[in-house]
Amino acid sequence: MDTKAEIDSPSKSSFEKSTFEESSTASSASDRDANRLKQLGYKQEFKREVSLLVQTGFALASMSPLPNWLLGFGGSIAAGGPMSLFWGILVLLPFLLCSALAMAEIFSAYPVNGGVYSWSYLLSSPKWGPLLSWVCGYVMLGGLLAAQMTVGYSVSQYTFSIQNILHPENAITSKGAYIGLTVAYLLASSAYCCLGIKASAYMTKFLVFMAVAGTFIIVIGMPVMAPTHPSAKWVFTEFQNTTGYENSGLVFFFGLLQAGWTLLCYENGAHISEGTKNAEVTGPRGILISVITAAAQCIVLCVATLFSIQDLEEIQNSSEPVATLFLRATNESVAAFFLVILLVSQFGTLTTLTMAAGQLLWSMARDKCIPNYKFWYKLTGKNKAPLRILTINCLVCIIFMLPSLGSEAYWGAMMSTTVICMNTAYLIPFACRLIWHRNDMPKGPFNLGKFSVPITILAVLWIIFFGIILCIPTINPVSPETMNWASLMIGGIIILALFFWVIGGRNYYKGPMHTAEDTSSASSTKE
């Protein structure tokens, strides 16, 4: 039988034969975490400083329903109207929970920073493991980069919306100004992440407070101040279709992009699992709590927003739909205050996504999954931050933002690309589990028992279906300006991953690296 190369890489049997009873021999929780990580082939390199609150908050901050549900509000309402926005959340939620449960079960079995990228290897066969893990890592990284760019651009949008509301006579609409400010925000978030995981934990706690306080202020203040309110029948049953398609069912599914974009990145806590206390228990709990909390927050925001709309057509035609919504429902000062809440929350989301991308890319460098991996695999300073990784991550985002200067449709495609990439990255370990470890996947403290396989199958089927929907152009007839370029972007990411694989990766990448016994080389990579 074929076996994976054992040089620098743990054997597959060592992963499958290890038991969680053995990992509890140490007296303290920290020792148990380090022991479990060692069983998975890694030595402890990060301080265990992340609690359940931070794990939950990290995933919740990555989703950040408060600013992100409103981010695509203007465009999504054209595909189904109020009915699609509200009922879309409820349609998506059962399948989202299936995916989250399947993800939590795998997290409990394999609490490593690589997340879905490492899980794809651990759950596959010796022959296919390295390639699937390699592709999953690049697809996941592509999704996180696209999310960073989209969120960073939205922060600049909120900033200029505040300026344009308070000083309409000096309104700023230049694309160059938006891109320039986005670059500044990307640099600021990268700089903050250089302070390390502990600083990220402080940011996460602050964002949890902002999520609660900000949602409370907006969902109460906006409807109370709104001059008029649409009827409940309009909010819950009004279906509008301005897409050009005649198939109402297809149009309704187009409207799910709003919920799909917001209820995403719930697995990001896995990227800080090696800094999490009792990760095999805390991680799965963080995923499930964050998903349920985010879904509830989305529903509350949706209802409050729909009951506050004054002129739907004006919002659809506005270049700043969120600002228009707030301005018509309240007044200039309050609208600006609401946008400040969104701005602060969204910058926190950007920082969280930057940290997640940095941790994933660092894990890929550790495992020889990126070119010049020896140069990138380095933790710098007393905060043990991957400075070089964060620098290249920021630079790549800046470069790939430049095409947006030529087309506004670029950002809609970028949002769809994020959703498709992330869901594809989720799909790969789920599929590997069903193909190669349907009945013998190692069990962690959190497991689904006899419901594990059916739930995973439902998650896989939904991800495939939703991915196809998101690749279809949302405007008919299709033109270069309205074309959905998401399929081209995800295809480009996969082609790039396969290119790197063919020219070198297949020769030196053998799966997640065995670093547990390589203390000398590890220490030399740190300053």
Side-chain angles (χ1 to χ4, degrees):
M1 184 176 67
D2 293 339
T3 58
K4 287 190 173 77
E6 296 181 356
I7 301 176
D8 293 332
S9 182
S11 66
K12 184 59 97 39
S13 61
S14 67
F15 292 119
E16 297 176 352
K17 292 180 180 179
S18 62
T19 63
F20 289 91
E21 287 78 14
E22 293 173 349
S23 69
S24 62
T25 56
S27 58
S28 68
S30 179
D31 290 338
R32 289 197 302 271
D33 286 325
N35 189 38
R36 178 57 187 150
L37 195 59
K38 184 176 180 179
Q39 290 177 348
L40 292 171
Y42 297 109
K43 67 181 185 301
Q44 185 69 51
E45 299 191 66
F46 294 96
K47 294 180 181 179
R48 294 280 176 174
E49 301 173 315
V50 177
S51 63
L52 176 60
L53 175 62
V54 174
Q55 258 287 338
T56 303
F58 194 83
L60 193 58
S62 299
M63 293 186 281
S64 199
L66 177 58
N68 280 304
W69 187 85
L70 291 165
L71 179 59
F73 167 72
S76 296
I77 204 168
M83 176 183 175
S84 182
L85 288 175
F86 176 76
W87 294 104
I89 300 173
L90 299 183
V91 169
L92 183 72
L93 185 56
F95 301 102
L96 174 69
L97 286 173
C98 287
S99 182
L101 285 167
M103 189 78 68
E105 183 178 40
I106 298 176
F107 192 164
S108 185
Y110 302 113
V112 292
N113 271 9
V116 293
Y117 146 74
S118 295
W119 302 338
S120 297
Y121 172 82
L122 297 170
L123 292 169
S124 63
S125 70
K127 178 180 179 180
W128 291 99
L131 176 59
L132 290 173
S133 174
W134 179 282
V135 172
C136 182
Y138 276 89
V139 170
M140 184 69 179
L141 182 61
L144 285 172
L145 291 173
Q148 284 177 260
M149 288 182 272
T150 306
V151 170
Y153 187 73
S154 71
V155 179
S156 66
Q157 284 183 312
Y158 292 144
T159 303
F160 284 123
S161 291
I162 296 170
Q163 148 68 27
N164 295 342
I165 286 177
L166 298 179
H167 303 285
E169 70 282 0
N170 297 316
I172 298 175
T173 59
S174 168
K175 289 183 180 179
Y178 279 77
I179 296 299
L181 187 57
T182 303
V183 170
Y185 280 128
L186 286 170
L187 291 170
S189 66
S190 298
Y192 186 86
C193 288
C194 289
L195 299 177
I197 291 180
K198 190 171 185 178
S200 178
Y202 292 142
M203 173 68 78
T204 299
K205 292 176 182 178
F206 171 72
L207 291 175
V208 170
F209 167 77
M210 282 294 296
V212 175
T215 302
F216 181 80
I217 291 170
I218 291 177
V219 301
I220 293 179
M222 184 167 56
V224 167
M225 294 186 68
T228 62
H229 302 92
S231 66
K233 180 179 180 181
W234 184 88
V235 168
F236 298 114
T237 65
E238 178 70 15
F239 184 85
Q240 295 192 5
N241 178 11
T242 59
T243 63
Y245 288 96
E246 296 182 359
N247 189 317
S248 298
L250 179 62
V251 173
F252 176 84
F253 283 117
F254 285 160
L256 292 184
L257 174 60
Q258 182 80 353
W261 159 259
T262 307
L263 300 173
L264 196 66
C265 297
Y266 49 84
E267 93 306 331
N268 269 357
H271 300 306
I272 55 171
S273 62
E274 293 177 32
T276 300
K277 303 171 186 176
N278 196 17
E280 58 196 16
V281 174
T282 303
R285 288 178 180 174
I287 288 178
L288 298 178
I289 294 173
S290 64
V291 166
I292 294 171
T293 303
Q297 193 176 358
C298 281
I299 293 172
V300 172
L301 280 168
C302 180
V303 172
T305 299
L306 294 177
F307 273 109
S308 301
I309 291 177
Q310 303 301 300
D311 188 336
L312 181 60
E313 185 176 351
E314 182 186 19
I315 290 174
Q316 290 175 326
N317 296 329
S318 174
S319 60
E320 300 176 341
V322 178
T324 302
L325 168 70
F326 289 161
L327 193 58
R328 296 293 177 260
T330 59
N331 56 52
E332 289 85 353
S333 299
V334 175
F337 174 62
F338 285 173
L339 286 168
V340 168
I341 293 175
L342 298 187
L343 188 156
V344 174
S345 298
Q346 195 71 322
F347 179 75
T349 302
L350 175 61
T351 302
T352 302
L353 290 171
T354 302
M355 175 63 77
Q359 292 291 314
L360 172 62
L361 195 52
W362 178 84
S363 297
M364 293 171 69
R366 174 178 64 181
D367 297 338
K368 302 182 179 181
C369 195
I370 60 176
N372 299 318
Y373 54 85
K374 291 182 179 179
F375 176 80
W376 302 113
Y377 174 47
K378 188 180 187 67
L379 297 177
T380 304
K382 64 179 182 180
N383 295 317
K384 294 186 176 181
L387 179 60
R388 294 178 179 180
I389 288 290
L390 292 170
T391 301
I392 190 65
N393 172 77
C394 184
L395 182 60
V396 169
C397 286
I398 293 172
I399 293 173
F400 279 92
M401 280 196 312
L402 297 181
S404 66
L405 291 170
S407 175
E408 284 294 332
Y410 187 80
W411 292 112
M414 192 64 71
M415 183 182 289
S416 295
T417 299
T418 301
V419 179
I420 296 171
C421 280
M422 301 293 278
N423 278 290
T424 301
Y426 299 166
L427 173 67
I428 294 175
F430 292 166
C432 289
R433 184 267 164 92
L434 291 175
I435 295 171
W436 287 293
H437 290 277
R438 177 172 297 204
N439 298 314
D440 62 351
M441 186 184 82
K443 300 295 184 182
F446 177 87
N447 66 83
L448 302 174
K450 63 181 181 180
F451 298 105
S452 178
V453 172
I455 287 176
T456 304
I457 291 174
L458 283 174
V460 167
L461 294 176
W462 170 254
I463 290 173
I464 294 173
F465 172 76
F466 196 35
I468 293 173
I469 292 294
L470 293 178
C471 286
I472 301 174
T474 56
I475 301 295
N476 190 40
V478 181
S479 67
E481 291 75 23
T482 61
M483 174 62 184
N484 186 345
W485 299 105
S487 56
L488 179 63
M489 291 181 178
I490 179 67
I493 293 171
I494 294 175
I495 291 173
L496 182 65
L498 293 176
F499 173 75
F500 284 142
W501 172 261
V502 171
I503 66 173
R506 60 179 176 170
N507 297 321
Y508 58 76
Y509 179 70
K510 306 302 179 183
M513 292 292 294
H514 193 302
T515 64
E517 297 176 0
D518 188 16
T519 56
S520 60
S521 62
S523 61
S524 66
T525 65
K526 300 174 188 175
E527 291 182 346

